[in-house]
Amino acid sequence: MALSETSIDPQLYLVEQTRWRPAEIVFWLATLLPYLLFPNYLSLASQIAIAALFALSLDLILGYAGIVSLGHAAFFGIGAYTAGLLSKYGWGEPLSGLVVAAFAAGVVGYATSFVICRFRHLALIMLTLGFGLLLAELANSLGWLTGGMDGLQGIHTWKLLGTFPFDLYGRAAYAYALAVLFVLFLFTRRLIHSPFGLSLRGIRENFVRMPAIGAPSRAHIRTIYTIAACIAGVAGALLAQTTETVSLDSLGFERSAEVVVILVLGGAGRLYGGLVGATIYLIARDQFSGIVPQYWYFWIGILLVAVVIFLPNGILGGLAQFTARWSRK
Amino acid sequence: MRRILLAGLSVLALSLLPVAGHAQGTVKIGLIMPYSGQFADAATQMDDGIKLYLKQHGDKLGGMNVEIIRKDTGGINPPVAKRLAQELVTRDNVDIIAGFVLTPNALAAADVSSEAKKFMVVMNAATAIITTKSPYMVRTSLTVPQLTETLGTWAEKRGLKKVYTMVTDYGPGIDAEGAFQKGFKDAGGDIVGSVRMAVQNPDFTAYVQRAKDLDPQGIFVMIPGGAQPGAFGKALAGVGVDPKKTQVMGQLEIADEHALASMGDIAEGIITAAHYDYNHKSKMNADFVKAYNADFKRNPDFFSIGGYDGMHAIDAALKKSGGKTDGESLISAAKGMSWESPRGPISIDPETRDIIQTVYIDKVEKVGGRLVNVQIDAIPNVKDPIKAAMKK
């Protein structure tokens, strides 16, 4: 979106953006509510936090830099398998596992970014889709390493910080996932409200003109793509560690598609889009499938169609429009 | 006034307290299955088997009322399966988790069964190692090697000396390839060649031609059910391989009701190893098929029988444990249990908690103008060969 005030000082604008709004503080305090109100839903809450982190990483490239990806699960899967394999072969310490997973996903992200930064739009969809499928097939054929169709067996995650075990109720799992989500969110927030983040939005709007005003489009895209890959890898590693399972679905097409749906639902190009989208999508999924295990996709479909028709910029986009109209009156 | 308020509050507080344990005589069962997505039909058949058993037994298991909670994994999704199992245990307080069409999901949920000490009944998922993942688990379906290794041995004994194997390049295919070749070679047969085929929409013509060129006496094939058996049948006809002359063999999926319908007459003569087929001749099975058709307007398949026998296992275990629903009591009751199922006599191996059953060798024949599986041999009391080998 273009700025409404055109003659604003860019630095002041960015500083203004980084200020914490009351709604944000309420949002993050609300993430602690499951411990008080829904102690039986903590494992769902932890999977929501993980999906939110994954959607946040996609938002960086899709929402801010305009890189359409249908293969983002590749990095999620690399992170998941890295953490899973580390644990299987004797190193189940969760935090260091995250770092290694982020590194592994980042390396692959950096390597592929050289191709990604040369294409836009439709070609990108095909490229990322193809890359995702290639990786999924590779994991399938490396059955001796990945466990193939049956998934990786023998993952055991050590206690968090050496004290908190990952229990059946998901208490540690949620705290862990939420803390990682929060830290990486802070990082993302800072990044987006930096001159670099601003130039990403410029690249999204006009790829060719940005280099003319001193922002090298391709280099910026390589950077953000690598960062997004790292964060997606962390999300995958979190899922592998908290559930102690990894299987081919973690890098399958469906996961790539689902995260796009989550982001579009919440609102792409908004920091909280992925977070809100993941919360609503996964809770709706859980509730609908609890009521009708066979036909719940029908209701998810209705929800998506309704959101796209009535709130074309996602739930947050719709909310923003609504409040803007309301405050003008 | 204050007293009334206090009394009211305490009543409210009492009613909000979680009910300790369960209402007397109710057993809660959580079913985890792929109710939606590409495996939905398998889940429906299994669920129907479960429903039929409950209906025939007055909606009671072991004299207790039954509450069933159904959870959908939407396909292969182990993290979701594990979370659902956790939630069933912690939120819904189920006593037993059951279902499981797909191996990865069963493996993930097994951790929960093991940690929470809950009785778990696997009603289909067929990879051999699953039951080793939780000491509270039994299986009422099959293991892939149970069928295919038995078929390998049987084929050699029946005079086939040179066999070609073709399997789909995925978990169950690779398992079946290994098990068949082991059974066949250990008996003294010779594998003249083998191939692993792509999972997605393969054209089988080239593969079948290659097999034909090597002129084997038999071809072992393992492909996923659904659209592929039809395509395979076309390739057999196109290349000119007659299953009656070059013996085509496989696991039951390649010649189940739907596969036969899509393959047509070329399927005549195919031999399969099966633990259940609705044409199995017994009074009990005839009644089962009739009751199943009356309720669900279709024939039961091996998913149905897995669900049906799974409920029997729970029923009998509850009877034997005297209504105790903890994992420890139920698993010790289930070990060594044996009963007569519509598929024939089956039992739970007291050591591995896996199923011991008769493996039927069926041949596709035309009876009254319809292609059906006719039983030509039966090998009784087959244990899972993988776990038997692990012990040695």
Side-chain angles (χ1 to χ4, degrees), chain B residues 73-217:
Chain B
T73 58
I76 299 178
N77 204 336
V80 167
K82 184 163 187 181
R83 173 169 65 78
L84 293 175
Q86 283 175 343
E87 289 172 355
L88 282 169
V89 169
T90 60
R91 197 193 299 171
D92 302 311
N93 291 314
V94 299
D95 306 297
I96 297 164
I97 47 179
F100 303 105
V101 171
L102 302 159
T103 293
N105 296 349
L107 287 170
D111 291 343
V112 178
S113 155
S114 162
E115 195 180 336
K117 300 189 170 52
K118 294 288 176 191
F119 191 49
M120 172 166 167
V121 183
V122 174
M123 297 173 168
N124 182 60
T127 300
I129 55 155
I130 297 176
T131 48
T132 62
K133 290 266 287 182
S134 164
Y136 304 99
M137 189 197 307
V138 296
R139 172 155 47 190
T140 60
S141 48
L142 75 156
T143 80
V144 169
Q146 194 175 38
L147 297 189
T148 49
E149 192 172 320
T150 309
L151 179 65
T153 316
W154 182 89
E156 204 282 337
K157 297 249 165 70
R158 276 300 176 97
L160 295 176
K161 300 297 168 196
K162 285 161 59 188
V163 166
Y164 186 82
T165 68
M166 44 199 298
V167 302
T168 298
D169 193 2
Y170 76 137
I174 293 162
D175 283 0
E177 178 189 55
F180 180 87
Q181 292 194 354
K182 181 168 185 303
F184 189 67
K185 282 196 231 162
D186 286 357
D190 189 16
I191 300 288
V192 294
S194 60
V195 67
R196 291 179 182 176
M197 303 171 290
V199 182
Q200 306 289 346
N201 315 312
D203 177 359
F204 292 102
T205 312
Y207 298 118
V208 173
Q209 182 66 52
R210 165 88 182 132
K212 193 190 174 199
D213 290 348
L214 289 167
D215 194 25
Q217 293 165 305

Side-chain angles (χ1 to χ4, degrees), chain B residues 285-309:
Chain B
N285 186 48
D287 293 345
F288 173 67
V289 173
K290 201 174 150 202
Y292 198 91
N293 266 293
D295 277 12
F296 310 116
K297 312 279 177 284
R298 61 192 283 193
N299 286 317
D301 60 9
F302 59 95
F303 297 113
S304 321
I305 199 74
Y308 190 82
D309 283 335

Side-chain angles (χ1 to χ4, degrees), chain A residues 132-155:
Chain A
L133 293 178
L134 276 177
L135 206 71
E137 203 47 54
L138 185 72
N140 185 22
S141 62
L142 294 179
W144 56 272
L145 182 70
T146 62
M149 283 282 286
D150 289 349
L152 194 60
Q153 301 303 321
I155 301 173

